[in-house]
């Protein structure tokens, strides 16, 4: 998990994104434990529950203007493959990692409405880190992963829009690319933030698609 407050602008990478230096904002990723099978008491409770609250508390106390919370599509993983989840869809996690992300979204909402800290929760789909062939996404491709695909380019663009869009008290936005079939609906994300994703998993992996889907 990383939190930065600075008056200097910068780009992102690190897990594909350089989390850093943006004016009056905090960006952080709950990346210490991202394994959906992680044990709740041994790994998730401290890393993904206590530290989520600590980051928001510190951001508010230090006078930061906005927190951008790295949530996950795992919060709605329980919907069937043919059901597209919307930001307002009831939460349906299928593991305790997803439950922890639900908690983080609730903390973001609390700090936004009760303490006046602008907060945006980004539900990140299947992130294609650096387009590396060793990524889990490319090692275990399936329809669900492709419909939730998020390219590095589109991720960086979305985060910039989260930083630069004014007058957002609280929002849940969806972090996937412009895939032909979309696991998460991005209509409200486009409308609110001016998000304009350019990549489509079904075009990027077209050469491998038939073999993957039959496998």
């Amino acid at each position: 998990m990383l939190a930065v407050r600075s008056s200097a602008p910068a780009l992102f990478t690190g897990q594909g994104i350089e989390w850093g230096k943006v004016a009056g904002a905090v960006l952080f990723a709950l990346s210490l434990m991202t394994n959906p099978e992680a044990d709740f008491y041994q790994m998730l409770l401290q890393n993904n529950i206590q530290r989520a609250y600590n980051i928001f508390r510190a951001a508010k106390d230090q006078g930061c203007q906005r927190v951008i919370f790295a949530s996950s599509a795992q919060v709605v993983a329980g919907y069937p493959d043919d059901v597209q989840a919307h930001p307002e869809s009831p939460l349906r996690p299928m593991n305790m990692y997803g439950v922890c992300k639900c908690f983080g979204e609730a903390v973001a909402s609390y700090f936004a409405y009760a303490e006046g800290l602008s907060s945006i929760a980004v539900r990140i789909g299947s992130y294609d880190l650096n387009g590396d062939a060793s990524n889990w996404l490319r090692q275990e491709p399936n329809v669900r992963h492709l419909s939730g695909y998020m390219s590095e380019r589109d991720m960086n663009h979305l985060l910039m829009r989260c930083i630069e869009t004014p007058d957002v008290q609280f929002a849940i936005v969806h972090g996937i690319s412009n895939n032909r079939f979309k696991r998460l609906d991005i209509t409200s994300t486009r409308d609110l933030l001016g998000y304009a994703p350019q990549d489509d998993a079904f075009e990027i992996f077209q050469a491998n698609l038939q073999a993957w889907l039959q496998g």
Side-chain angles (χ1 to χ4, degrees):
M1 183 183 302
L2 181 75
V4 177
R5 180 171 183 260
S6 173
S7 59
L11 300 175
F12 320 97
T13 59
Q15 291 256 159
I17 306 161
E18 187 175 284
W19 301 96
K21 297 186 178 179
V22 287
V26 172
L27 292 102
F28 72 98
L30 293 176
S31 58
L32 291 180
M33 181 47 58
T34 59
N35 180 2
E37 305 303 320
D39 178 78
F40 179 75
Y41 287 108
Q42 295 298 318
M43 302 301 299
L44 294 174
L45 180 59
Q46 179 179 7
N47 291 330
N48 289 18
I49 295 289
Q50 294 177 342
R51 290 184 178 179
Y53 170 79
N54 290 344
I55 288 292
F56 279 91
R57 180 77 273 156
K60 174 61 179 178
D61 291 349
Q62 292 299 311
C64 292
Q65 297 176 12
R66 177 171 295 171
V67 169
I68 301 171
F69 172 70
S71 188
S72 169
Q74 290 286 340
V75 301
V76 289
Y79 287 98
D81 289 345
D82 61 349
V83 175
Q84 187 181 61
H86 295 250
E88 64 274 14
S89 299
L91 298 172
R92 197 173 291 182
M94 295 297 285
N95 50 58
M96 289 307 297
Y97 171 75
V99 171
C100 291
K101 292 299 187 180
C102 294
F103 172 80
E105 291 186 1
V107 172
S109 178
Y110 162 76
F111 272 92
Y113 293 116
E115 301 208 21
L117 175 62
S118 173
S119 302
I120 299 176
V122 182
R123 291 177 178 171
I124 302 170
S126 304
Y127 183 47
D128 191 17
L129 176 59
N130 296 326
D132 190 331
S134 65
N135 291 349
W136 65 269
L137 169 63
R138 293 169 181 259
Q139 292 294 313
E140 302 176 11
N142 57 46
V143 172
R144 175 171 286 211
H145 291 164
L146 293 178
S147 64
Y149 174 85
M150 180 60 150
S151 70
E152 183 175 358
R153 171 169 61 175
D154 288 338
M155 173 71 90
N156 288 342
H157 168 59
L158 177 58
L159 290 175
M160 287 301 302
R161 297 308 306 143
C162 287
I163 294 166
E164 294 174 347
T165 302
D167 304 322
V168 177
Q169 183 173 12
F170 173 72
I172 293 173
V173 300
H174 283 165
I176 66 170
S177 290
N178 192 32
N179 306 315
R180 190 171 313 165
F181 304 102
K182 298 178 180 65
R183 174 77 176 148
L184 307 176
D185 180 72
I186 60 173
T187 303
S188 62
T189 303
R190 290 179 185 269
D191 292 344
L192 176 67
L193 302 178
Y195 176 50
Q198 301 182 54
D199 296 316
D200 176 358
F202 295 88
E203 291 184 0
I204 293 172
F205 302 114
Q206 185 174 11
N208 308 98
L209 193 59
Q210 185 172 357
W212 282 357
L213 297 182
Q214 290 178 348

